[in-house]
Amino acid sequence: MKKEFFLERYRKLRGDIAEFSLRNSLRVNTLKVQPEDLKSRLEKKGVSLETIPFISNAFYYKARFSLGSTPEYLMGYYYLQEAASMLPAVVLGPQPGEVVLDMCAAPGSKTTQICELMRNEGVVIAVEEKANRAYALANNLERMGCWNAAIVRQNALKIENNKIFDKILLDAPCSGNYLSEPNWFEKRDLRGIRRNSELQKKLVEKAFSLLKVGGILVYSTCSLEPEEDEEIVDYAVRVLGMSTEETGLKIGSPAATNFEEREYDKSVALARRLWPSRTGTQGFFIARLRKVNE
Amino acid sequence: MSSEDAIEGQAAVENAIVGFLRSLGSKRAEGLFHERVEGSISRNFELVFLKEEMFLAPTELVKFSEGMNGLVYVGMRRGRISGKIFIPAPSFLEDLKPFIDELNYAVLNDKASWLFLCGRDALPNGISRLNLPDPTAGRLALVFNSGMECLGYGRIEKNGEGDVWIRNLFDLGDFLRREDKKEERRKRQ
């Protein structure tokens, strides 16, 4: 029954579902190794690798053993990361020398990617409230050879307002999607989705207050629920006065501009929705927003 | 902290790191310390201590993060000072590579490299090359794989025939084990 409830919602968004196992993927850490060198090392061990067409320096792989404990992994040559989750940092486009905030950072897949894109130059502040998750984040920063990041253990909503950032990544806590855990449809309901939506709006407001005028906020979730996606971008546009921008992604579909009785700002369509049935990735949503005034 | 305390603290750190470099067989440990540690500080980096952990961080990052609530990690982790002992992090070991000719080190074959990463000792038949400016048993040696990637370090030991083997003190497999260890400690408390 619950599955049908969600399917009906997805139909209204012109989406559908497909059950499949996600392909394993990894992102090469070009701070330490070149993609062709890593490919050749792993192939010698019998790993088969295939370039991911929509992202640089990343591979789908098949291996008979865990790639989470090879010498190359321990040396920080790659990060095991689902393909869609590599996209938000790319859409953010952090440049060397910029000041960047990763608001919900652990375990660090996107933080380490941001450091890599910045070639370890500039400032990255990674926020994580929970001790064990902050510990995992620290380990990943260390393993991947990231030097330009600091971790602060605190609630992202309580970050000091005297700090101003050029760019902010808000990969928000969300309900996930049906490929992210078994029996997802049975475990989720609208009440939980709405609760997440309220928190996400508060986080976007906080991000807005920490962003310089002209600065970029990338908002992403691995949820397919419009209350956690389009509704949040609509809130950023209508209430906070932010403007949406093209993501530059060649994957995914334009976000919805209406859902049930709700009409979203037309510019919300610039955000991208990744339906697993069409992209072969997990479900994802990514929007790029600019702060145009205080 | 008074300026006298700060100077005393700096001296303790220097002594701990110099002690580690000396244990690696370096005949000019003080010089190496000044080249590696102070040399990197002068290139717009600063040493930062958060509890026992020592970090080397870009000045820009240190200034920006200064005063932020809950700061637990900054820049590059270089190691830990425990009492008078310096326990180096992988980034510190990696940075010693240009100076390895003057340090104790062992190069392992592929099988021994893998075992070392799993926390095992490096036995004589797994060691393909040794450079021991100070071969005294009890001294330390860096451990590399055949591609000269640093895997960790250990203590020089000798068996009954006088063959050298390396007792594993630290290896990169620690990245996987340390979270399990922390979880075990948390459960015990």
Side-chain angles (χ1 to χ4, degrees), chain A residues 134-135 138-139 142-143 151, chain B residues 1 9 13 16-17 37 46-57 62 71-83 85-92 153 170 174-175 178 182 185:
Chain A
Y135 190 71
N139 280 345
E142 186 182 353
R143 183 175 63 84
I151 300 174
Chain B
M1 184 193 273
V13 170
I17 297 176
V37 182
E46 291 180 23
L47 275 185
V48 178
F49 289 88
L50 297 173
K51 295 184 180 166
E52 289 183 331
E53 300 289 339
M54 184 175 100
F55 297 87
L56 186 64
V62 176
L71 185 69
V72 292
Y73 186 100
V74 59
M76 190 187 337
R77 199 173 84 82
R78 302 299 272 173
R80 187 156 53 88
I81 307 282
S82 180
I85 307 290
F86 175 62
I87 301 161
S91 74
F92 185 93
Y153 69 97
F170 172 82
D174 183 63
F175 278 124
R178 60 173 76 158
K182 196 175 167 72
R185 275 200 301 272

Side-chain angles (χ1 to χ4, degrees), chain A residues 3-267:
Chain A
K3 184 173 180 181
E4 191 47 46
F5 167 76
F6 282 102
L7 290 185
E8 181 53 27
R9 282 162 58 86
Y10 298 160
R11 275 193 282 274
K12 289 175 188 165
L13 293 163
R14 286 183 283 282
D16 52 11
I17 67 160
E19 303 279 356
F20 60 94
S21 296
L22 287 168
R23 296 176 75 181
N24 291 322
S25 49
L26 63 86
R27 174 174 57 80
V28 183
N29 180 13
T30 59
L31 290 173
K32 291 198 168 192
V33 70
Q34 288 310 303
E36 56 274 23
D37 294 336
L38 178 67
K39 186 168 189 273
S40 136
R41 279 180 75 145
L42 293 178
E43 281 176 345
K44 277 183 195 150
K45 296 181 177 194
V47 180
S48 76
L49 296 139
E50 179 190 329
T51 303
I52 300 179
F54 54 85
I55 190 144
S56 308
N57 305 328
F59 296 103
Y60 289 121
Y61 71 85
K62 280 184 190 159
R64 289 202 191 128
F65 53 90
S66 164
L67 286 201
S69 58
T70 66
E72 290 79 8
Y73 176 86
L74 296 172
M75 287 168 198
Y77 291 173
Y78 59 86
Y79 199 110
L80 298 178
Q81 188 174 355
E82 202 281 323
S85 89
M86 298 178 197
L87 298 171
V90 173
V91 174
L92 187 70
Q95 300 298 311
E98 287 183 330
V99 178
V100 178
L101 173 67
D102 187 351
M103 281 180 85
C104 305
S109 58
K110 298 169 192 80
T111 316
T112 54
Q113 191 178 4
I114 288 169
C115 293
E116 183 201 350
L117 291 168
M118 294 170 75
R119 309 310 301 167
N120 265 338
E121 290 173 31
V123 169
V124 179
I125 300 295
V127 180
E128 174 54 51
E129 187 174 18
K130 289 184 181 152
N132 58 340
R133 289 174 58 80
Y135 190 71
L137 171 60
N139 280 345
N140 280 320
L141 285 175
E142 186 182 353
R143 183 175 63 84
M144 300 293 276
C146 298
W147 308 345
N148 62 328
I151 300 174
V152 289
R153 251 198 72 202
Q154 62 165 308
N155 184 326
L157 293 171
K158 294 182 181 162
I159 300 166
E160 294 88 339
N161 269 337
N162 58 351
K163 304 288 180 188
I164 295 298
F165 296 86
D166 297 315
K167 287 177 177 164
I168 297 178
L169 176 63
L170 172 52
D171 185 49
C174 68
S175 306
N177 64 82
Y178 69 94
L179 287 180
S180 62
E181 63 178 283
N183 304 317
W184 183 91
F185 292 114
E186 302 309 314
K187 295 176 189 165
R188 296 296 186 281
D189 59 29
L190 209 44
R191 220 172 71 181
I193 289 167
R194 293 215 169 104
R195 201 182 315 121
N196 283 337
S197 181
E198 288 313 306
L199 172 63
Q200 289 153 353
K201 281 176 194 160
K202 284 184 191 155
L203 286 165
V204 163
E205 260 179 49
K206 183 67 187 180
F208 178 80
S209 73
L210 295 168
L211 201 56
K212 73 171 188 187
V213 173
I216 296 292
L217 165 66
V218 165
Y219 174 81
S220 62
T221 71
C222 60
S223 168
L224 292 168
E225 311 313 312
E227 294 86 350
E228 301 186 50
D229 296 335
E230 283 88 347
E231 190 173 313
I232 307 302
V233 178
D234 184 66
Y235 179 81
V237 172
R238 289 192 209 234
V239 179
L240 303 174
M242 300 186 84
S243 69
T244 53
E245 296 192 345
E246 292 279 359
T247 60
L249 295 176
K250 293 183 176 72
I251 186 172
S253 326
T257 51
N258 59 73
F259 177 68
E260 296 180 336
E261 75 282 8
R262 284 181 287 275
E263 288 286 332
Y264 304 127
D265 188 274
K266 293 283 175 255
S267 71

